[in-house]
Amino acid sequence: MNNELRIIISGGGTGGHIFPAVSIANAIMEKRPDAKILFVGAEGRMEMQRVPQAGYEIKGLPICGFDRKHLFKNIKVFYKIWKSQRMARSIVNDFKPMAAVGVGGYASGPTLNVCAKMGIPCLIQEQNSYAGVTNKLLSKKAEKICVAYEGMEKFFPKEKILMTGNPVRQSLLDTAISREDALRSLGLDPMKKTILFVGGSLGARTINESILGHLDLLGKSNVQVMWQTGKYYYESILQALNGKAPQNLKVTDFISNMGVAYRAADLVVSRAGASSISEFCLIGKPVILVPSPNVAEDHQTKNTLALSTKDAAIYVKDAEAPDVLLQMAIETVGNDDKLASLSEHILKLALPDSAGIIAEEVIRLAENHGK
């Protein structure tokens, strides 16, 4: 057992944390097939399903966030933090990791705190251009901090920072299908310009409203739209459409193969999560970003500005989107020069092989542990 490489990876809560975590684990296994990897997540959160689906073991902690609206409820939160610390200590004692990776999210706090106190080297991966609270607190104890944006020394010690970019789903990069075949496989017309509207797995109310409120405009246009509503909004949108959707609109609750959908799209309209942005950079996809206002520290707006100020994306404010988003998307997808310019500029921001670079750093920390 002493010769095995044992790594804990902790965090989650959203796909934006889970996809990079799994990508890092996969990269470690490619380089060290003998490695043992254990994930630690938060009970009831997305990682408890997604990580086992990716083939890795995961332990859950009862950790959750503070309730800023109902302060009296935080008595339970403090108890859950205390219990999570104890459980994390037991998990670490049993597994005996040689290094720990935190990707953000509730569970990474107690897990990496315990590891740091036990002298286990820690690496944190910050996906956003504005650091999350958990990662800012953990940065004092981390050996290395892997980031995807410039200027992160305002949050973290400069000497610990590595500019690696965000790991993305490898399946997106491995998609070999042509645009025409991708469109045909989705039941769309290969001769028409195509816009993909996507709000994440749960959907985005503002993006959905921007289409639903202007169906006549879409119906009169010569483009076609793929609309991922998100599972939460799907039934209510079908009721609102009442069978009267324009023929150039394809509605779905969830897209299982995003690689094919991205290949089919001439333009994507999306929220501004860090993982999504990294994917757009690597595939050079023209994008209109509508940052969500309902995220910590308004980090999606900061992610967006990191691109839009370099002419690598178009920025539409959430409050303005219901009125202007669809019209802007139709105009943009019809402008070949604009699409080419957006693609050229966003490709310049791509940082390839992020997962491999981070994996090398984790392996180095683990191998040096105890020497």
Side-chain angles (χ1 to χ4, degrees), residues 5-9 95-101 115 120-123 361-367 369:
L5 193 76
R6 297 181 304 283
I7 309 293
I8 271 185
I9 301 178
F95 186 67
K96 296 179 173 59
M98 300 155 72
V101 179
C115 287
I120 297 159
C122 298
L123 176 148
E361 197 62 34
V362 174
I363 292 168
R364 186 187 64 78
L365 289 174
E367 289 178 339
H369 176 53

Side-chain angles (χ1 to χ4, degrees), residues 101-121:
V101 179
V103 295
Y106 301 134
S108 62
T111 306
L112 267 71
N113 270 322
V114 166
C115 287
K117 286 178 182 177
M118 295 174 68
I120 297 159

Side-chain angles (χ1 to χ4, degrees), residues 193-194 266-268 284-287 314 329 331-346:
K193 288 291 185 71
T194 305
D266 299 289
L267 174 70
V268 177
K285 187 60 60 176
V287 62
I314 296 172
E331 290 175 359
T332 302
V333 82
N335 186 335
D336 288 339
D337 289 341
K338 183 64 174 177
L339 292 177
S341 174
L342 287 168
S343 182
E344 178 187 349
H345 287 115
I346 201 169

Side-chain angles (χ1 to χ4, degrees), residues 178-284:
S178 69
R179 174 185 176 275
E180 290 74 19
D181 287 343
L183 285 163
R184 289 192 187 94
S185 74
L186 295 166
L188 296 167
D189 185 349
M191 302 305 293
K192 283 190 173 182
K193 288 291 185 71
T194 305
I195 309 169
L196 169 63
F197 283 79
V198 60
S201 57
L202 295 179
R205 183 194 299 273
T206 301
I207 291 176
N208 290 341
E209 288 175 351
S210 73
I211 300 174
L212 204 55
H214 301 279
L215 292 174
D216 55 339
L217 173 65
L218 176 58
K220 293 173 185 175
S221 73
N222 60 351
V223 307
Q224 59 191 352
V225 164
M226 285 184 288
W227 180 13
Q228 184 200 287
T229 64
K231 293 183 178 180
Y232 182 78
Y233 297 102
Y234 184 62
E235 291 300 327
S236 63
I237 285 171
L238 287 185
Q239 290 176 13
L241 290 170
N242 194 25
K244 298 175 183 176
Q247 288 189 339
N248 56 345
L249 176 63
K250 182 179 177 65
V251 185
T252 183
D253 62 337
F254 181 73
I255 297 172
S256 58
N257 193 330
M258 286 305 298
V260 171
Y262 284 159
R263 187 59 59 92
D266 299 289
L267 174 70
V268 177
V269 178
S270 172
R271 287 302 199 191
S275 287
S276 296
I277 287 177
S278 294
E279 290 169 358
F280 301 143
C281 290
L282 284 164
I283 62 177

Side-chain angles (χ1 to χ4, degrees), residues 9-19 21-22 39-64 103-109 111:
I9 301 178
S10 186
T14 67
H17 292 311
I18 298 163
F19 295 142
V22 171
F39 280 75
V40 180
E43 291 175 355
R45 305 290 290 198
M46 191 188 298
E47 58 266 27
M48 301 307 294
Q49 284 77 45
R50 294 291 178 86
V51 168
Q53 287 170 2
Y56 296 100
E57 181 185 0
I58 186 167
K59 304 278 189 182
L61 303 179
I63 192 80
C64 63
V103 295
Y106 301 134
S108 62
T111 306

